Structure formats: C-alpha cells, structure tokens
Amino acid sequence: MHDKVMRAPLFWSVVGRLPLYLISVSMVVFTASRGLSYFSAGLLLSGYSLGGAVLAPFVARAVDKYGQPPVLLITGAVYPLALIGFVLADPEAVALQLACVVVAGAAMPPISGCIRSLWSAPGNTERVGLSLEAVLGEVFVIGGPLLFSLVLIWGSAGAALVVGAVLTSAGAIGFAMTRASRDRRVDTGTGKRDPLGALRSAALVRLLVLLLVAGLATGAYSIAVPAFVESHGSAGDIGLVFGVWGVGGILGGLWYGSRTFRQPAETVFAWGLLALSAASALVLVAWDNWSMSAALVVLGLLQAPVTALSYELISRTARAGYVTEAYTWAITVSVGGTAIGSQLGGLVLGAYGTWAPFLGAVVSMLLVATLAFGARRLFAEPAEPAKPTEATEPTEAATSPA
C-alpha cells in the first residue's frame, strides 16, 4: 500500500470527522431550544459521550477481527438513524432521547482509528500521515463549530444534527469502499482472541496512563480559558481565542511533519511534554486576552507535534492484530481525562478563580513529562506480537518509527 492509495481514505475521513464538534454543540443547543433544561442537555451529551467511550474500543476490536468495511458500513447506517430518532423524539420523552444518543455514541463510525491504522501499515509514510492527523484534529476543532454556524443560517440546531449525522455516515461508507480499506487484510480464522486485546501490551497501557493524565490539563483549559477570556473581555471573544489556539496547533503539526529528528521518538516525546509544561506555565501567568492568546499559540505549536509523536508510539506499542483498538483506547482515555479535568477544573475555578485550574494543568503536564522520561526504555521496544492462535492482521505488525 502506498501513500497515493491513501488519498481517497483521507478525503472520506475528513468528510466523516468534520462534524465531530458540530454534533456536540448542536445537541446542547437543540435540547435547550426544545424547552428542556441545561441539566437535561448535559445529561444527553454525557450519555452520547459515555456511549462512545465505553463501547468504542470493542467496536474497534471488531474492526481488527473482521476488517474495516463491515464495521464502517454497519455503524455508518446505525449512527444517523439513532441521531435522527433523537431529533424526532418527543421532547418530554427524555428516556427515549437518552437511549437514542447512547446508541449514537456507541455506533459512531471508528474512522479515526481506521485511518490511523492504515497510516501505520508498512509501505505508508507513517510519520507524515500521523502528523497530518494531528493537524486535522485542530481543523476539526475549528471547522465543526463554523459548520454549525453555517447550517444555522438556513436551518435549526436540529437540522445541524441531521446534517452532521449524514456527513459522518457518508464519510464512513465512502471510507469503507476505498481500496485501502478493502485491502486491509485480517485473518478471520477461528483462533481464540485475547480478552485483554490491545491492553495486553504493558507499554501501551503506560502510554494510555500518560494520555489520561494529559487529558486532565485539556479539561482544565476547556473550563478555565472561556472563564478567563470572558472576565477580561466578553463572551464573544472566546471563539476567537480558541481559534488562535487551533491555528497554533495547525502550524505546529505542519512544522513537525516537515522535520526529521535524530533522537528516537520516545525521547523527543518526553522532551516535547516537558516543553508543553513550560508553555502551560505561560498560560498560568497570562494577564489579559492578548497575552492569553500568545500563550495559547505557543501551547498549540507544541501540542500538535507531541500529539503526532503519541500516535507513533501507539503504533509501535500496539500488538499485531489490535492496532485499531489501540488507537481507539487512546481516544477513550483522552476523552475520559478531559471529562475529569473539566469537572475538577470547574470545582477549583468556582472556589479560587481561573489561576487554580491553570496551575493544575501545569502540575499535570509536569507529571506526564516525568512519567514519559521514566518510560522511554519501555516505549523503545516494539510490542509483543500476538500469539499464533490469535486472529492477527499481517499488514499491521507493530513498527518502530524512524
């Protein structure tokens, strides 16, 4: 498989993932527009997130066992139906709405894990592809809310939900029909699968712990940055400041993808996390929205390369036959860490002000950097291959990035 073959999957992955943040924003606005409380909106959004966080790794395990097309086609059909059912449900039927969003979260097509596993396959330019993934992550953060605003010009929040569901479905189905996805070989024999799956790799588990702790800082920022911006200006400035952060991430990802480092990936990863800790300290000492924007640009410039490096290490530490599941576990723990960080950040913000969650972010990043330096030797070794009795995927043996 060559990079030229990846053009079609890349296109459909962008189509399918662009609505990621549109869906969450639309769900909250749509629920409030129906006269329900923000408590109900939070409950529904939590159900949607929880459905994905709990079941996504098992959906990804099905991808590794049965191949990408069957799972993408099934989830590409169930996902929009569940969200459309949520839009059409009676506003008073909260239980029915909750069931619909939980099913939708669980059936979200595993496009991110699928394309990252393809980039990790031998024959592809893995480092460039995973750097591009880090850049696209920033694009989705900016593009999703912009797409939501665009749909609202002609329609409602409910219409935005339907548009997002249809785009996600189209992306999943289009991805499943590409040559790269169809040619991704799996052994569908009757060999017994390991119940622990990707989590049998000690190095991957250590990396997931790092991502969980790093997610605490992300969650703290998601609460504290809007509060800081509003207290030093107006709520209308929040989107602009977050957009600047995203632009910094895009530039950082593009820079990293064009560079070659002599040091091993695990060493660059550890030093990158230490640099992120320093950038977090810049956020802590910001005194107005201009200085906050400057600090977030620096944070974004460093964040995207570190994210790309984490993708490389996931590829290396994932066991053969469990690559998609490994990437999905990374998403799950990152989301979980962000959720915990948001809750803790909100608690200390209310009691002490914005400096408290910002300080917590600095401490979290210093802890992550320390753990990363201590785990360099573990990350340097490829994962133990799957046992011969397991269903493995020959084209996704764990690789050691240059």
Side-chain angles (χ1 to χ4, degrees), residues 264-275:
E266 64 276 7
T267 299
V268 180
F269 179 64
W271 281 107
L273 286 169
L274 188 59

Side-chain angles (χ1 to χ4, degrees), residues 59-78:
V59 173
R61 185 174 296 187
V63 171
D64 286 325
K65 184 175 182 180
Y66 301 110
Q68 293 184 359
V71 178
L72 286 170
L73 292 173
I74 292 172
T75 55
V78 174

Side-chain angles (χ1 to χ4, degrees), residues 4-144:
K4 187 176 181 180
V5 183
M6 290 296 295
R7 292 176 183 173
L10 179 60
F11 169 78
W12 287 112
S13 76
V14 172
V15 172
R17 293 183 294 172
L18 184 60
L20 280 174
Y21 294 92
L22 175 148
I23 296 293
S24 57
V25 173
S26 301
M27 191 173 295
V28 174
V29 176
F30 175 71
T31 302
S33 70
R34 304 179 92 191
L36 297 176
S37 66
Y38 278 101
F39 173 81
S40 297
L43 175 66
L44 293 170
L45 184 58
S46 297
Y48 177 75
S49 301
L50 188 62
V54 172
L55 294 179
F58 300 99
V59 173
R61 185 174 296 187
V63 171
D64 286 325
K65 184 175 182 180
Y66 301 110
Q68 293 184 359
V71 178
L72 286 170
L73 292 173
I74 292 172
T75 55
V78 174
Y79 182 76
L81 291 176
L83 282 181
I84 292 172
F86 165 66
V87 172
L88 297 178
D90 188 323
E92 301 298 325
V94 177
L96 176 59
Q97 294 177 74
L98 183 60
C100 287
V101 296
V102 169
V103 171
M108 180 182 289
I111 300 174
S112 291
C114 286
I115 192 164
R116 289 169 193 170
S117 67
L118 289 182
W119 281 122
S120 303
N124 282 333
T125 309
E126 177 187 42
R127 189 168 176 275
V128 174
L130 296 181
S131 298
L132 181 59
E133 278 293 288
V135 171
L136 286 175
E138 304 295 337
V139 172
F140 298 146
V141 171
I142 300 172

Side-chain angles (χ1 to χ4, degrees), residues 5-354:
V5 183
M6 290 296 295
R7 292 176 183 173
L10 179 60
F11 169 78
W12 287 112
S13 76
V14 172
V15 172
R17 293 183 294 172
L18 184 60
L20 280 174
Y21 294 92
L22 175 148
I23 296 293
S24 57
V25 173
S26 301
M27 191 173 295
V28 174
V29 176
F30 175 71
T31 302
S33 70
R34 304 179 92 191
L36 297 176
S37 66
Y38 278 101
F39 173 81
S40 297
L43 175 66
L44 293 170
L45 184 58
S46 297
Y48 177 75
S49 301
L50 188 62
V54 172
L55 294 179
F58 300 99
V59 173
R61 185 174 296 187
V63 171
D64 286 325
K65 184 175 182 180
Y66 301 110
Q68 293 184 359
V71 178
L72 286 170
L73 292 173
I74 292 172
T75 55
V78 174
Y79 182 76
L81 291 176
L83 282 181
I84 292 172
F86 165 66
V87 172
L88 297 178
D90 188 323
E92 301 298 325
V94 177
L96 176 59
Q97 294 177 74
L98 183 60
C100 287
V101 296
V102 169
V103 171
M108 180 182 289
I111 300 174
S112 291
C114 286
I115 192 164
R116 289 169 193 170
S117 67
L118 289 182
W119 281 122
S120 303
N124 282 333
T125 309
E126 177 187 42
R127 189 168 176 275
V128 174
L130 296 181
S131 298
L132 181 59
E133 278 293 288
V135 171
L136 286 175
E138 304 295 337
V139 172
F140 298 146
V141 171
I142 300 172
L146 289 178
L147 181 59
F148 172 72
S149 299
L150 184 63
V151 174
L152 284 186
I153 296 176
W154 293 283
S156 62
L161 270 172
V162 174
V163 168
V166 171
L167 282 175
T168 302
S169 175
I173 294 172
F175 193 105
M177 302 303 292
T178 62
R179 174 186 167 189
S181 183
R182 289 184 284 109
D183 288 352
R184 178 185 178 272
R185 292 180 293 144
V186 292
D187 182 358
T188 56
T190 58
K192 183 179 179 181
R193 300 282 290 181
D194 188 339
L196 284 179
L199 300 182
R200 182 71 67 179
S201 167
L204 177 64
V205 171
R206 180 75 64 87
L207 183 58
L208 293 179
V209 171
L210 266 64
L211 296 177
L212 176 67
V213 179
L216 297 177
T218 303
Y221 288 137
S222 68
I223 292 294
V225 170
F228 180 94
V229 172
E230 188 171 6
S231 66
H232 290 78
S234 68
D237 298 329
I238 295 174
L240 180 61
V241 173
F242 270 98
V244 168
W245 189 2
V247 170
I250 292 173
L251 294 176
L254 293 174
W255 172 83
Y256 175 76
S258 65
R259 301 283 296 181
T260 301
F261 295 91
R262 292 185 177 181
Q263 294 291 327
E266 64 276 7
T267 299
V268 180
F269 179 64
W271 281 107
L273 286 169
L274 188 59
L276 265 179
S277 303
S280 300
L282 292 178
V283 174
L284 175 62
V285 299
W287 61 90
D288 59 14
N289 286 347
W290 288 103
S291 58
M292 175 59 71
S293 298
L296 289 176
V297 167
V298 176
L299 194 68
L301 286 169
L302 294 168
Q303 208 165 32
V306 170
T307 299
L309 282 161
S310 73
Y311 294 157
E312 292 185 38
L313 294 179
I314 292 168
S315 171
R316 177 188 298 177
T317 57
R319 302 169 64 209
Y322 296 94
V323 178
T324 307
E325 182 187 337
Y327 278 114
T328 306
W329 272 117
I331 296 171
T332 295
V333 298
S334 296
V335 170
T338 300
I340 296 171
S342 297
Q343 292 295 316
L344 294 177
L347 287 174
V348 297
L349 188 153
Y352 303 105
T354 56

